[in-house]
Structure formats: C-alpha cells, structure tokens
C-alpha cells in the first residue's frame, strides 16, 4: 500500500509542475463556463424548471461540470494515451513483469492527478462562477462532504472506463478509435452538454443507468441536495456498483493481455 500511496503522491506532484497548463485550463474552463451559463440562462428563460431544475440549479450544474471536467475525466482520462503508447511500442511488457500491479499503479497515479485537477482546475472556475452568477450552493455543510465522496466515486468510474479503453490497444494496436467513441459517450451521456434529467423518454432512462452518469450527473445532484437518506445511499451504490464492475472488467482485460504477452514472448 505504501508503494501505491507514493505513486498517488507522485501523480499529484507531477501534474502540479505544469503550472502554465493549469492556468490555461482554469482560463478555458472559466470561459466555457460563461458561454454555457448564458446559453442555459436563455434556455431556462424559455423553459423554466426544465428537467426539474430552476435557474439557480441549472447555473450551479454548469459550474459543477466545469469543476469536474478534468478531475472526473469527462473528456478523457489523461493517462490512457500514455498506456496505449507503451502498448504500441512494446514497453508495456516491462510494466506487466514488474512486481507492482499495472491497474493499481495507474489507479494510484490517476487518483493523484484527479485530486490535483480538482484543486488546481476546479476550485477557481467554480469560485468565479459563484461570484458572477446567482447559483445554488448547498444549504447544509455536510453536503460538501457528500459531494466530495460522490466526486471520488465518479473519478473511480472514470478511471475504470478509460483503463478499459487503454487495454483495447492490446488487440487493436491503435486504440484511438475506441478512445474517440468513449470521448463522445462521456461528452453526451455524462450530462456535460445538458443534464440527463432533460433527456426525454427511453433515451433519458438509458442515459441515467450508464456509467457516465456517475461522473457528473450524480455528483451534481448530490451538490444540489436532490438526494437525502436512502436515496443518497442509493446514488453511492449506483456509482460503487459501476466502479466494481468496470474495475473487474479491467482486471480481466489485463489478465488476457498478460497471457498474450507471455505467449508471444515465449
């Protein structure tokens, strides 16, 4: 466990060194937050209480999305490209023979990365949004802790999705096609464009049971205090179940990849 804690701390420090990239990310998230906010204002002026959200809820949703964009990997996990490149070059064989577990290593690295990005690229845009727009903040202090737990679970689900995407490169050699599909899925089904509550009929029901809902929609609804008691536990259970299923699928893919490397090496 000490090894993986060190990897997580190293991931945090490594991303903290990219100060210009962080500043650029903060600027970009803030600008797009303003664009989306005014778009949502126009939409909610025409359709008040769309998706069960009032204007204050909708604006809060926008800035929560900007805060979690990088931390929860809504448009990319950040590590999968490095893993796919190591698979393409064959360097991954060295990683698989190391005494450290490959999935646990990248999980720890991604945990450090996500923690830094939440602080480095999430807090400032959300603070700016709160100062400029009248959006809803939690009425209860404990909601902030509940929100952070939902974000952590969403980040785990995101890692599990992108780890599977990275593992696909063992059989496809170039996993960019799968990465593009996952990127589009994350953009649409996480609720990044519009809250999933707005999606009509069967499409909305499907969107709300897919793993991407764990990354933004559920943390946002926890922040907006739309869950209480058993409903909150149910939301956590939804995230946790997807995390377990996808991490297990990642381990199966890793085992199959290891067998492939051993057979080819032998």
């Amino acid at each position: 466990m000490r090894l993986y804690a060190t990897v997580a701390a190293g991931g945090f420090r490594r991303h903290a060194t990219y100060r210009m990239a962080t500043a650029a990310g903060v600027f970009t998230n803030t600008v797009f937050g303003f664009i989306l906010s005014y778009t949502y204002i126009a939409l909610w002026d025409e359709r008040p209480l769309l998706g069960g959200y009032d204007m204050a809820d909708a604006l809060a949703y926008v800035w929560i999305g900007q805060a979690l964009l990088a931390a929860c990997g809504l448009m990319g996990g950040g590590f999968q490209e490095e893993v796919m490149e190591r698979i393409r070059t064959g360097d991954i064989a060295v990683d698989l023979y190391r005494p450290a577990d490959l999935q646990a290593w990248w999980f720890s690295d991604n945990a450090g990365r996500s923690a830094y990005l939440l602080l480095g690229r999430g807090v400032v845009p959300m603070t700016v949004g709160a100062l400029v727009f009248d959006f809803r903040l939690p009425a209860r202090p404990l909601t902030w802790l509940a929100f952070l737990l939902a974000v952590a679970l969403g980040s785990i689900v995101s890692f599990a999705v992108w780890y599977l995407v990275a593992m696909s490169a063992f059989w496809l050699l170039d996993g960019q096609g799968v990465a593009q599909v996952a990127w589009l899925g994350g953009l649409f089904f996480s609720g990044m464009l519009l809250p999933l509550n707005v999606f009509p009929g069967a499409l909305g029901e499907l969107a709300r049971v897919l793993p991407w809902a764990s990354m933004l929609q559920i943390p946002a609804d926890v922040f907006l205090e739309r869950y209480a008691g058993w409903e909150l536990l149910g939301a956590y259970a939804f995230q946790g179940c997807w995390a377990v299923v996808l991490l297990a699928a990642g381990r199966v893919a890793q085992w199959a990849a290891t067998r492939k490397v051993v057979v080819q090496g032998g």
Side-chain angles (χ1 to χ4, degrees):
M1 291 301 294
R2 180 178 297 179
L3 170 63
Y4 300 117
T6 302
V7 173
F12 187 98
R13 289 194 301 269
R14 179 157 61 96
H15 286 87
T17 60
Y18 302 129
R19 296 176 182 175
M20 290 303 298
T22 299
V26 168
F27 177 78
T28 303
N29 287 5
T30 303
V31 169
F32 274 96
F34 274 86
I35 294 171
L36 287 172
S37 291
Y38 287 117
T39 303
Y40 273 43
I41 288 171
L43 179 58
W44 258 261
D45 277 340
E46 293 295 323
R47 296 285 303 276
L49 298 179
L50 181 63
Y53 289 160
D54 61 19
M55 183 72 77
D57 292 333
L59 289 172
Y61 186 92
V62 167
W63 291 97
I64 293 167
Q66 294 307 301
L68 300 185
L69 179 63
C72 285
L74 300 180
M75 297 178 66
F79 68 92
Q80 79 281 353
E81 292 184 358
E82 185 175 350
V83 176
M84 287 190 292
E85 177 63 18
R86 293 186 69 80
I87 293 172
R88 189 187 66 80
T89 60
D91 293 340
I92 196 71
V94 177
D95 300 335
L96 290 171
Y97 281 115
R98 286 174 178 165
D101 180 77
L102 185 69
Q103 187 185 51
W105 178 282
W106 285 106
F107 178 90
S108 302
D109 181 80
N110 186 71
R113 166 189 170 275
S114 295
Y116 173 74
L117 291 175
L118 181 63
L119 295 172
R121 289 183 57 174
V123 172
V124 173
M126 197 164 182
T127 301
V128 172
L131 293 173
V132 176
F133 297 95
D134 183 20
F135 70 67
R136 193 176 310 283
L137 293 171
R140 299 186 296 271
L142 287 178
T143 300
W144 290 98
L145 295 177
F147 171 66
L148 289 176
L149 178 56
V151 170
L153 290 170
S155 178
I156 293 172
V157 174
S158 174
F159 165 80
V161 168
W162 288 107
Y163 188 75
L164 280 171
V165 170
M167 289 294 102
S168 71
F170 272 105
W171 291 272
L172 301 177
L173 298 182
D174 184 359
Q176 292 303 317
V178 177
Q180 286 295 321
V181 172
W183 179 82
L184 289 172
L187 183 66
F188 188 75
F189 287 113
S190 68
M192 191 65 205
L193 298 177
L194 279 172
L196 302 183
N197 299 336
V198 174
F199 290 13
L203 177 61
E205 294 177 5
L206 173 64
R208 288 188 288 272
V209 299
L210 292 175
W212 289 286
S214 299
M215 303 176 196
L216 174 55
Q217 185 67 55
I218 288 180
D221 282 340
V222 170
F223 183 92
L224 295 171
E225 299 178 329
R226 295 171 68 88
Y227 297 116
W230 289 107
E231 290 182 342
L232 179 59
L233 293 178
Y236 290 150
F238 175 84
Q239 293 178 294
C241 286
W242 268 120
V244 169
V245 169
L246 293 171
L247 288 173
R251 295 210 67 79
V252 172
Q254 179 178 311
W255 174 83
T258 304
R259 295 289 300 171
K260 187 172 187 277
V261 170
V262 170
V263 170
Q264 289 179 344

